[in-house]
Amino acid sequence: MLLEVTGLHVRYGRTHAVKAVDLHVAEGEIVTVLGANGAGKTSLLRALHGAVKPAGGSIRFAGDDLTAQSSAERVTRGMMLVPEGRQIFVSMSVHENLLMGAYLRRDGDWARDLKSVYDRFPNLAERRDMPASVLSGGEQQMLAIGRALVSRPRLVMLDEPSLGLSPLFVNNLFNLIKELNRDGISILLVEQNTAMALEVASRGYVLELGSLVLEGGADALAGNAALAEAYLGDHAAKPEPDAA
Amino acid sequence: MLFLQQVSNGIMLGSVYVTVAVAFTLTIGVLNFLNFTIPTLFMLAGMLAWALSTWGVPTWGVPFVHIGPMPWQAALLFAVAATVVASLLVERFTFRFLKTRYGDATEHAIPLVSSLGFLLIIENLVRIGYGTDTQRFPGPQADMSVNIGGIFLRVPQLVSLVIVLGIVAGLNWILRHSRIGRGLRAIAENPDAANILGVQANKLVPVVFMLTGLLCGLAGVLFAINYGEVSPQMGDDIGSKAIAGMVLGGLGSIWGAVIGGLIIGLTEMLTIHFFGADTVQVAVWGLLLLTLFLRPQGLFGHHSIGKGKL
Ligand SMILES: Nc1ncnc2c1ncn2[C@@H]1O[C@H](COP(=O)(O)OP(=O)(O)OP(=O)(O)O)[C@@H](O)[C@H]1O
Ligand SMILES: [Mg+2]
């Protein structure tokens, strides 16, 4: 098992954001975590990546217990998080943002990975030396994903990547996720766009108020009317316009 | 001719302000932290340079560790090195222990106040050790000078100006083009995103303090060489003028601190030349306030400085 999470808790003072979550991702899988606003999806991913200290539970990656390790240790071992809201560095150029993805790379191959990111995203190659702040919302998401790819991850965790993108970009994004997966990268995808997420994923989990309330095959979840009604609201049907 | 002489003196004084201002702006730009120990580190370097070259470091009777006196060149090197060490100690005790690793519990007031505490402790230790008098530094004195068209340029001053500009250019290059520089800028803009990508603040913060110590140490010994005297109070005025220079140039901007520091130095010397010494403070701070009215972010500043939180 690539990622194996047992009994994970996240607390912020009195807020108990993630409660006893068990979850796993096998090598080569696309797994989605669904849930309404405030369900604890971001808290879950941040805890998995070491950006927030879990209040309990364990996180194993490729057989090693990384629960108490730093984010840097996780990155070195092949975990990468594409955070909510993209979090690109607007004071840096497009190229420098991508170099940040290679920050911990000590092997000589990172330049090749950088080149393959530029090949994959020609828009970024054209804007290589421009400040990242001039990119459109869709391009910024490509940059955030490209930056993650330069670290040569085995598992990429994406936190609501479709948020704020136009329908066309949303389509491209989900195609990209499938493509990355075909290239051998395992994906843990947090989304509110339930329909699209369940289309690309093979399995899914549903979080409600910090607890897992449903899990199963993507097809089964997609056909679960109770899921759409009770836990997810109807944001999924209405993607917001592209921020740019 | 006297006017040009004052311009040259202003640039020399300005280069001391520049060095200290760059130390301030680096810490603010990367860590969003006004490091109050900077003027003390500057003073420490100057006083140590003097003490080591005249009668050594007091060891209060501890056997086998009596240091000094030594030639002034060696004293300068030791003083700078000791200042770097002192700055790293400050990092340990102001920044590191009081910084919460996870979550966002860092309150700016805590490092600020603890660095103020360090300022007072170091300053008073120096007073206890060496007294409060102004001391003469026995370095290369004014006799080493070149006369260019009637303007006297002291060789040590010229050398120090070149060193200062070289160091600042090097620092700027590191920040722009090196991996460590990118890491520092990433922390400055968005510590959380930097951490997610594997940038470890715990490893980079000491780099900032090391550079701070180096800059302050350099400024302190340059001051000792150029003005030939040091005192435990020498950091007070230089510190506030350097802050003025940094704010004038724009918080967090290295070249802003360079230009700002030089402008303050020039303003000071020219004000003395035209209006006398009493008007210096009014002119310097008046200029600063005027600039802030017209351009609140300073000459080269960005609005984003001070938003990131480590
Ligand atoms: N840094 C924090 N400090 C305190 N409470 C927090 C913090 N981050 C999140 N929370 C709280 O934890 C709960 C879960 O938040 P989280 O952001 O993980 O949910 P989410 O599912 O990602 O929501 P969204 O869909 O809006 O992104 C919420 O009640 C939120 O208010
Ligand atoms: Mg979220």
Side-chain angles (χ1 to χ4, degrees), chain A residues 153-180:
Chain A
R154 297 174 68 183
L155 171 71
V156 170
M157 301 177 281
L158 297 130
D159 195 346
E160 301 206 38
S162 76
L163 197 70
L165 299 186
S166 68
L168 177 67
F169 265 119
V170 171
N171 253 317
N172 290 344
L173 173 76
F174 282 97
N175 284 332
L176 171 67
I177 291 172
K178 280 190 276 192
E179 230 176 87
L180 296 179

Side-chain angles (χ1 to χ4, degrees), chain A residues 46 49 87 90-91 96 103, chain B residues 179 185 189-190 192 196:
Chain A
R46 287 175 59 78
H49 196 63
Q87 311 281 353
V90 291
S91 67
E96 287 176 321
Y103 189 79
Chain B
R179 172 175 172 275
R185 282 188 289 140
E189 181 182 332
N190 186 339
D192 185 55
I196 283 170

Side-chain angles (χ1 to χ4, degrees), chain A residues 70, chain B residues 91-92 95-97 99-101 187 195 199-207 310:
Chain A
S70 64
Chain B
E91 190 267 337
R92 279 274 151 158
F95 219 78
R96 185 168 307 191
F97 288 166
K99 189 175 57 187
T100 311
R101 175 92 206 273
I187 289 177
N195 174 60
V199 180
Q200 288 168 291
N202 281 345
K203 289 192 182 164
L204 286 187
V205 170
V207 173
L310 185 68

